Amino acid sequence: MPDFEHADLSGSRFSFVDLRRSVFRDTDFFDSVMRGVYLGNVSIDGEVENLVINGVDVAPLIEAELDRRDPDRPRMRPADPAGFREAWDIVERLWAGTVERARKLPPDQLHVSVDGEWSFIETLRHLAFATESWVNRAILGDPAPWHPLSLPWDGMPDTPGVPRDREVRPSLDEALAVRLDRMATVRRVLDGLTDESLAADTTPVEGTGWPPPRAFAVRECLLTVLNEEWQHRLYAERDLDVLFSR
């Protein structure tokens, strides 16, 4: 079967094409148009907006249903400093439970990828990277905050000074030491958050790395971290279900 990786297929036209059992990972479907298609037994995980199916924008319906299923989910979109602190309380509580669940597996299972996704420990390493990037670098101004165990997303180009070691196999406690240190940094930032600092923009940080050297809204930086924390815990729990079932 053909394998398209890092390929630019934008503007392509597919007619009478069989895409059954295809897998799309980290793929951009922005402005795509599908007519006369058949979708059955399809699983979609990702950011969905302005998705019109048979004349109905289903994105708001999906968001409302996800919020209904989990009352903590809307709290990941806080509007003021107190709301951000409450959201982080929830993140700490939920992740503590997920880590304790993961400890019940044999240590080698925490390095196992389920369906090509990150292993549990790789997930912890990536969340450390997300915090380092959007809090340590963007908000606090550290131009190179990354720990050697930190892990950027797979699609990020290799960047001098940014680690990307997919072969290293740290223990759970080693990965957690980095992870918990970065979580403590978020807690300190949120404890000092005011209406004024939340409404401010960051000062651009020069030098290679992520995010790029430009100003960002502090609010958006913190919301990005909350979104990363929320989504990756769901992914981790999903994959732990599979590992326990085996």
Side-chain angles (χ1 to χ4, degrees):
M1 298 296 291
D3 189 2
F4 300 99
E5 187 170 350
H6 298 291
D8 185 355
L9 299 178
S10 57
S12 299
R13 182 178 297 272
F14 301 90
S15 300
F16 303 102
V17 175
D18 188 344
L19 293 175
R20 285 176 292 181
R21 296 178 298 281
S22 295
V23 177
F24 301 90
R25 191 184 306 280
D26 296 323
T27 301
D28 188 348
F29 284 99
F30 187 76
D31 277 346
S32 294
V33 176
M34 302 180 187
R35 295 283 186 266
V37 300
Y38 173 73
L39 289 177
N41 299 324
V42 175
S43 176
I44 301 174
D45 289 302
E47 296 185 23
V48 179
E49 59 180 14
N50 300 325
L51 175 61
V52 179
I53 299 179
N54 294 337
V56 179
D57 184 358
V58 301
L61 306 180
I62 295 170
E63 288 297 303
E65 174 60 15
L66 291 174
D67 286 349
R68 185 194 67 79
R69 291 183 180 186
D70 192 336
D72 283 334
R73 187 174 186 270
R75 295 185 173 93
M76 295 300 111
R77 304 187 294 271
D80 56 28
F84 275 94
R85 287 187 279 271
E86 179 190 27
W88 197 248
D89 288 342
I90 294 169
V91 165
E92 291 179 330
R93 170 174 55 81
L94 292 178
W95 264 109
T98 298
V99 169
E100 285 308 304
R101 186 184 180 206
R103 287 190 183 278
K104 298 176 183 178
L105 285 169
D108 63 298
Q109 290 293 293
L110 301 182
H111 293 289
V112 171
S113 168
V114 176
D115 295 330
E117 301 292 341
W118 277 331
S119 69
F120 187 80
I121 287 180
E122 286 173 332
T123 297
L124 299 181
R125 294 171 58 198
H126 174 68
L127 288 173
F129 171 83
T131 296
E132 290 163 341
S133 298
W134 291 104
V135 177
N136 295 71
R137 177 176 161 95
I139 295 178
L140 298 179
D142 185 344
W146 301 284
H147 188 278
L149 289 180
S150 299
L151 190 63
W153 75 98
D154 287 344
M156 179 178 174
D158 288 335
T159 304
V162 179
R164 186 202 298 279
D165 190 346
R166 291 296 298 269
E167 303 303 320
V168 67
R169 290 292 181 269
S171 68
L172 176 59
D173 286 335
E174 288 171 330
L176 276 175
V178 180
R179 161 90 167 127
L180 294 176
D181 179 81
R182 277 37 177 181
M183 292 183 77
T185 298
V186 177
R187 171 58 69 186
R188 288 194 297 271
V189 169
L190 295 182
D191 284 346
L193 198 64
T194 64
D195 290 333
E196 291 75 19
S197 61
L198 180 59
D201 289 340
T202 65
T203 300
V205 178
E206 297 301 324
T208 59
W210 183 259
R214 64 180 179 84
F216 297 89
V218 170
R219 180 188 305 275
E220 293 305 315
C221 293
L222 295 174
L223 286 174
T224 297
V225 170
L226 287 179
N227 182 65
E228 289 278 316
E229 294 283 348
W230 182 264
Q231 292 300 135
H232 281 290
R233 195 192 71 84
L234 294 180
Y235 303 151
E237 288 283 356
R238 174 200 63 198
D239 293 346
L240 287 175
D241 287 343
V242 174
L243 294 173
F244 277 107
S245 71
R246 294 175 178 174

